[in-house]
Amino acid sequence: MLNRLTDTLNFQAQALSLRAERQRILASNIANADTPGYQAREMDFAAALREATGHANPAARPAPAQAAPRAGHLPLQPGEAGPTALRYATPSQTSLDDNSVDMDRERASFADNAVHYEATLRFLNGSVKTLTSAITGQ
Amino acid sequence: MSMLDIFQVSGSAISAQSQRLNTVASNLANADTVAGPDGQAYRARQVVFQTLPMAGAGSAGVQVSTVREDSSPGRRVHDPGHPQADGEGYVTYSNVNSVEEMVNMISASRSYQNNVEVMNTAKSLLLKTLQMGQ
């Protein structure tokens, strides 16, 4: 029963933690803008979110990629987006030192991700406020 | 919380960039040096950046792996009256390329600014996250 009450929060929480992870990846790209040979990483956010929230809707989820966990193995928890969700970003221009960070794109993505993070945060706050007002009945 | 890692990542980057800026400063300061303490002309120094893997997938900081000396020959100027002139009347100055150093300086300062901005954004997002549900 309590699960149902907080199920709406779960989706937003997953989205928030994925946004935080993407923010970290973009920060790493920006940090390595001058490192020779660094290859920029990028997250497929839609795929990662689908993977993280797939447990809520098992019918829509394709067959699991990994084998069933053996005895003694810990099953992967939803929300633990592994490196599979990470891709290499393709640069729009090649550089002499083999660095594939496109600073303009990274900065734009970073600002975009920050706004999305804040939006998710507000959705969460709104849900919490709605629940609280429903509980107190005022 | 994985967002806290941003401070380590960007912090390592600004420390590396400030070391690069330091190197540029010492190169520019010594651009017209004739001889150092060892009697040889000053050689330009360049930092070499390296990716520093950190905990968490995709998270990578920066570190300065080595500071290497530029081995190109120094600038030779014909000035027979100079006390450091050699037998042919040439004085060997340092091999610092001032234009290159200025470009390096601007690049380092821009990267530094970018990383500071990243940390500011991450900080404000984290502070807002702390107030969640209030």
Side-chain angles (χ1 to χ4, degrees):
Chain A
M1 184 59 197
L2 210 65
N3 258 350
R4 276 205 192 160
L5 203 62
T6 53
D7 246 4
T8 45
L9 295 179
N10 270 349
F11 177 78
Q12 304 287 356
Q14 297 284 6
L16 196 71
S17 73
L18 281 174
R19 284 283 169 206
E21 200 161 319
R22 182 164 183 235
Q23 198 81 345
R24 196 167 48 97
I25 291 160
L26 292 172
S28 301
N29 286 348
I30 291 174
N32 280 284
D34 295 324
T35 313
Y38 179 82
Q39 300 290 307
R41 308 299 295 271
E42 180 59 289
M43 176 191 255
D44 187 345
F45 189 81
L49 188 61
R50 218 177 296 127
E51 196 180 319
T53 57
H55 69 293
N57 187 6
R61 196 180 190 186
Q66 74 270 22
R70 293 183 193 178
H73 283 191
L74 290 174
L76 280 175
Q77 292 299 313
E80 280 184 354
T84 46
L86 286 187
R87 309 235 171 114
Y88 286 101
T90 40
S92 54
Q93 296 175 55
T94 52
S95 69
L96 276 176
D97 59 359
D98 204 24
N99 182 310
S100 71
V101 177
D102 186 340
M103 207 53 198
D104 300 325
R105 192 186 53 200
E106 299 300 337
R107 285 195 58 147
S109 300
F110 193 84
D112 168 87
N113 201 54
V115 172
H116 275 96
Y117 185 93
E118 208 172 326
T120 311
L121 209 54
R122 286 191 191 187
F123 283 139
L124 258 174
N125 272 331
S127 305
V128 170
K129 284 212 174 80
T130 312
L131 278 178
T132 325
S133 76
I135 291 167
T136 52
Q138 285 165 4
Chain B
M1 162 132 330
S2 60
M3 274 263 274
L4 283 171
D5 290 352
I6 289 182
F7 295 108
Q8 276 181 17
V9 169
S10 294
S12 73
I14 64 166
S15 128
Q17 295 291 353
S18 77
Q19 196 172 336
R20 182 176 170 207
L21 212 52
N22 249 330
T23 318
V24 168
S26 76
N27 284 349
L28 278 177
N30 284 287
D32 289 324
T33 315
V34 175
D38 55 351
Q40 297 292 310
Y42 177 85
R43 291 198 175 282
R45 292 182 172 93
Q46 307 290 348
V47 293
V48 180
F49 282 173
Q50 200 178 39
T51 305
L52 177 67
M54 288 184 170
S59 181
V62 188
Q63 67 178 356
V64 174
S65 61
T66 50
V67 180
R68 70 176 169 79
E69 283 195 352
D70 193 343
S71 59
S72 60
R75 190 158 47 93
R76 278 165 67 81
V77 176
H78 187 66
D79 186 5
H82 198 284
Q84 295 283 334
D86 59 9
E88 294 169 348
Y90 281 97
V91 184
T92 308
Y93 285 87
S94 74
N95 61 354
V96 175
N97 184 340
S98 301
V99 178
E100 212 174 273
E101 298 302 331
M102 293 297 284
V103 171
N104 252 331
M105 182 182 80
I106 293 168
S107 166
S109 114
R110 288 274 185 275
S111 297
Y112 193 100
Q113 285 173 26
N114 278 331
N115 281 297
V116 170
E117 211 168 302
V118 165
M119 283 206 281
N120 273 333
T121 309
K123 185 184 128 196
S124 74
L125 286 182
L126 275 172
L127 286 179
K128 279 171 189 158
T129 314
L130 281 179
Q131 293 168 353
M132 183 161 48
Q134 286 177 7

